[in-house]
Amino acid sequence: MTATHPPHTPLSDIHGPVLHPGEDGYADEVTGFNLAALHTPDVVVGATDTADIVTALRWASATHTPVAVQATGHGANYPIEQGLLITTSRMTDVRIDETARTATIAAGAKWRHVLDKATPHGLATLNGSSTDAGVVGYTLGGGLPVLGRTYGYAADLVRSFEVVTPDGTLHHTDSTTDPDLFWALRGGKGNVGIVTELTCDLLPLPRVLGGGIYTEGEHAEALLTTWADWTRTVPPEMNSTFSLLRLPPFPEIPEPFRGGFWARVCLAWTGDPSEGEALLTPLRAAAPVAIDTVEDMEYAAVDRIYMDPQDPLPARESCALLRDLPPEAIRAFLDQVGPQVPDVPLLLVEIRHMGGALSRPAATEDAVCARDAAYLLEAVGVLAAPPMAEAVERATTALNTAMAPYGTGRTMVNLHGTPGDDSDRARAWTPEVYDRLRHTKSTYDPQNLLRYGHTVPPA
C-alpha cells in the first residue's frame, strides 16, 4: 500500500526543530551515543512523526540533498558531513497487542521502551546486549540478540514496516506487499528508506537464567579453552559469549570491575533454571571464579547480563564471522589480546557463540548473511585521543588478520565498524545478496540519497 504526497514541501512545514550549524540546539541534536562520529550536516530535522519524515525526504529528493537518519546513535561510526540528518529520537511510541503477542514500535524507540511495556505481560523481545539501543537501526542490520541461538535474529520476527523511500513516498511493506522492499529492510540496513515504525512478534518468556562468570584475566586461556569445547555440546537454549575486558579506572565503572582485566563468559539460558545451572559446572571449574552474577532474573533485567556502558563514549568497533574455533584459532586470538600481551588498547574483545536458530533460514527470505557462522569475533576500543585511536586501529587490524584463516570472510553490518570502500562494505553480505541489494537500491533510491553509513551504491 502506497500513500502519495504533493511533489515538493518546504522544510518550514516540519513540526519538529529544523536546525543549522551554529544555532542553539544543533550540537545536541546531531550528537549520538558513539562520540567517535562527529556529525556536521548542513541541516538537521528533529522529526516528531511520519509526516515530518515524508516532508524532509520530499525536500531532499527535490533538492538532490543526501540524507542520513539517527535514532540513538549507538551505531554512529561514520561522520555525516553536509547534507540532511533526520533524527527520530522524539518518535518513541510503542503499542503492545497482548493477544497477538506483537509490538508496533516507532522509529526512535529504544528496546527499553518496548520492554517497559512488554514485560508486565510476561513478553520478551529479541534485543541485543544493551536495551538503550534503538530498535529500528538494530533490526535493519539483522539484529544479533542476547537470545539469538534460541530464537534467531530480530529481523526474523518482523511482521511489517512502515517506511518512507527517498522520493518521499510512504509504504506499508510485509512478506506479500512490496516483498523486495521487505527483503532489503531485514538485514540490508538503511539502504532503501527510512523506517517510521515496525511491527514484530514478542516472546512468551517472563524470566531467564542469565549473568556472567568472571575470572582474573590471567586465567583467560583456561576459561576460553573450556568454553570453546563446551559450546560444541550445549543445546540452543544456551546463549553465551566469551569476553576479555580491560577496563579503565573511570568512576563510571562500578567496583570491583573498575580498572581490572577480566575474562568472563556471559550467558542467557531460556530453559529450566536448574538444568541451566547444571550446564555451567564446567565453566565454573575451568578457573578460579572471582565474580559470579548468574541468577534467575525477570527478563526486564536483561541489561545485567552484559552490563554494557550506559554513558556515551567515542568507540571504534569491528567484527568478523568465524567458521570454527579450533585450538590454533584460540592460540592466534590469545597471541594478539591475551594476558601475556602488554598494553592491549582494546576495551572489549569477545567471541560470541552463534549457531542454533541463528543458522536457521528465515521463514521469509531476508538479507541477513551470518547464518553460516559458528562464532562472531568483535573488538571495541575507546578513542580517547589521537595516539589511542592509532593504537586501537593497529590492534584491531592485527587481531582480524590473525583470525582471518578461521573466518568466513564476512562481517555483520551492525558490528562492522566504520565502512570503507565498496569492497569493504560488501563483506557484510554474500556476493549474491550484495548484488540483489544494489538492484533493490536502484529501484527505491536511484539518486543514492541514502549514502551515509554502511550503504551500498545503486546498481
Side-chain angles (χ1 to χ4, degrees):
M1 180 176 67
T2 299
T4 58
H5 299 272
H8 178 41
T9 311
L11 291 181
S12 59
D13 288 350
I14 299 285
H15 300 103
V18 179
L19 302 169
H20 299 84
E23 294 182 345
D24 289 345
Y26 173 90
D28 290 339
E29 194 69 31
V30 302
T31 300
F33 186 89
N34 188 352
L35 302 178
L38 300 178
H39 301 321
T40 56
D42 295 322
V43 59
V44 56
V45 167
T48 61
D49 54 22
T50 298
D52 279 353
I53 294 177
V54 168
T55 299
L57 283 175
R58 292 197 70 82
W59 175 85
S61 179
T63 59
H64 309 288
T65 301
V67 184
V69 62
Q70 177 169 281
T72 66
H74 279 74
N77 48 43
Y78 187 97
I80 297 160
E81 300 171 347
Q82 303 178 323
L84 165 66
L85 173 63
I86 300 173
T87 60
T88 61
S89 58
R90 294 167 180 80
M91 301 172 61
T92 60
D93 184 57
V94 175
R95 304 188 302 278
I96 303 296
D97 185 328
E98 183 183 1
T99 303
R101 294 209 294 255
T102 62
T104 299
I105 305 163
K110 301 178 180 181
W111 282 113
R112 175 52 54 187
H113 295 135
V114 186
L115 283 178
D116 286 347
K117 292 194 173 184
T119 53
H121 303 291
L123 299 173
T125 62
L126 280 187
N127 55 275
S129 57
S130 172
T131 63
D132 189 57
V135 173
V136 168
Y138 164 91
T139 304
L140 293 181
L144 183 58
V146 171
L147 303 180
R149 278 178 43 81
T150 310
Y151 297 106
Y153 295 94
D156 294 344
L157 296 192
V158 175
R159 292 193 177 191
S160 65
F161 294 98
E162 300 288 342
V163 56
V164 185
T165 46
D167 62 354
T169 301
L170 176 63
H171 301 257
H172 169 88
T173 179
D174 54 29
S175 59
T176 58
T177 305
D178 286 340
D180 273 354
L181 188 58
F182 189 60
W183 170 84
L185 289 170
R186 292 172 303 122
K189 205 56 177 174
N191 271 287
V192 291
I194 295 180
V195 170
T196 59
E197 72 173 28
L198 64 80
T199 297
C200 66
D201 291 325
L202 298 172
L203 308 168
L205 186 72
R207 304 187 69 84
V208 66
L209 179 73
I213 297 171
Y214 293 74
T215 75
E216 300 285 351
E218 63 190 74
H219 303 296
E221 183 171 2
L223 184 60
L224 175 55
T225 301
T226 300
W227 175 79
D229 290 339
W230 178 81
T231 58
R232 302 180 195 285
T233 61
V234 293
E237 290 81 9
M238 183 64 78
N239 304 267
S240 67
T241 300
F242 172 85
S243 309
L244 292 178
L245 300 100
R246 289 174 166 89
L247 302 177
F250 294 165
E252 296 85 359
I253 298 174
E255 293 285 6
F257 301 103
R258 185 184 305 160
F261 173 37
W262 304 94
R264 76 175 181 189
V265 172
C266 287
L267 58 98
W269 165 259
T270 61
D272 179 84
S274 61
E275 294 179 18
E277 286 283 359
L279 283 171
L280 301 184
T281 300
L283 300 180
R284 288 175 168 143
V289 176
I291 302 168
D292 191 331
T293 66
V294 177
E295 61 178 327
D296 179 25
M297 62 176 68
E298 293 184 352
Y299 194 77
V302 67
D303 280 327
R304 295 212 296 263
I305 295 176
Y306 282 84
M307 297 195 300
D308 278 4
Q310 297 299 303
D311 298 312
L313 73 170
R316 193 270 198 221
E317 64 181 346
S318 74
C319 82
L321 297 172
L322 305 180
R323 290 178 283 103
D324 199 1
L325 196 61
E328 54 269 28
I330 293 174
R331 185 74 264 150
F333 175 83
L334 294 173
D335 284 347
Q336 294 297 322
V337 295
Q340 307 305 317
V341 184
D343 302 323
V344 175
L346 300 174
L347 176 74
L348 165 74
V349 185
E350 64 182 27
I351 304 174
R352 180 171 299 202
H353 188 201
M354 304 285 277
L358 294 170
S359 297
R360 183 177 60 205
T364 300
E365 187 184 18
D366 62 21
V368 176
C369 293
R371 299 183 191 273
D372 59 344
Y375 300 90
L376 179 141
L377 170 68
E378 181 183 8
V380 179
V382 177
L383 312 181
M388 179 60 74
E390 294 169 4
V392 167
E393 188 67 32
R394 287 194 301 270
T396 300
T397 300
L399 175 63
N400 288 337
T401 299
M403 298 300 288
Y406 315 102
T408 67
R410 293 197 297 276
T411 68
M412 275 203 74
V413 60
N414 277 351
L415 304 174
H416 180 97
T418 304
D421 59 15
D422 288 351
S423 62
D424 179 60
R425 293 164 186 249
R427 294 190 302 122
W429 301 281
T430 64
E432 296 78 15
V433 168
Y434 180 72
D435 185 62
R436 180 178 172 184
L437 189 59
R438 289 190 61 199
H439 280 84
T440 307
K441 170 95 167 179
S442 68
T443 299
Y444 293 101
D445 185 18
Q447 293 189 69
N448 197 26
L449 296 183
L450 296 169
R451 70 183 70 160
Y452 295 111
H454 200 130
T455 55
V456 305

